[in-house]
Amino acid sequence: MIERIKANIAIFSCLPWIDFDSITLTVAFPHETSPLIHWGKVNENYEMTVVLTVNHIFVNGLEASKFYKNAQENFNTLL
């Protein structure tokens, strides 16, 4: 597990059967610093929740807002 966390990666999780508002996570180990990205079901209005969980030691609000902006721009190209 430690080797995976050292890599420059994010952990992705898809819950395509659930249309959720948010996800609350508990960090079990302090060395778990990889970003967690979760997304859910696309609803009838073509909306989908995307949750980004990061350690604010490594990521601040500017990077998080850039993630959401880029994700929205990419999703818009699909419609």
Side-chain angles (χ1 to χ4, degrees):
M1 184 167 139
I2 299 294
E3 290 301 316
R4 184 185 68 150
I5 291 173
K6 288 181 183 178
N8 188 17
I9 61 170
I11 299 170
F12 298 90
S13 174
C14 180
L15 303 165
W17 56 91
I18 301 173
D19 185 13
F20 55 88
D21 302 74
S22 65
I23 291 181
T24 303
L25 299 170
T26 303
V27 176
F29 303 102
H31 63 273
E32 291 180 351
T33 58
S34 299
L36 305 173
I37 302 168
H38 305 278
W39 66 94
K41 180 179 181 178
V42 177
N43 67 21
E44 61 278 351
N45 297 322
Y46 296 101
E47 299 169 332
M48 178 179 67
T49 301
V50 177
V51 178
L52 174 65
T53 304
V54 296
N55 185 322
H56 285 284
I57 293 173
F58 302 106
V59 178
N60 63 35
L62 179 61
E63 284 86 11
S65 70
K66 286 180 180 179
F67 166 81
Y68 282 112
K69 182 179 181 232
N70 289 334
Q72 184 65 59
E73 289 172 356
N74 282 301
F75 291 142
N76 289 344
T77 63
L78 299 173
L79 296 177

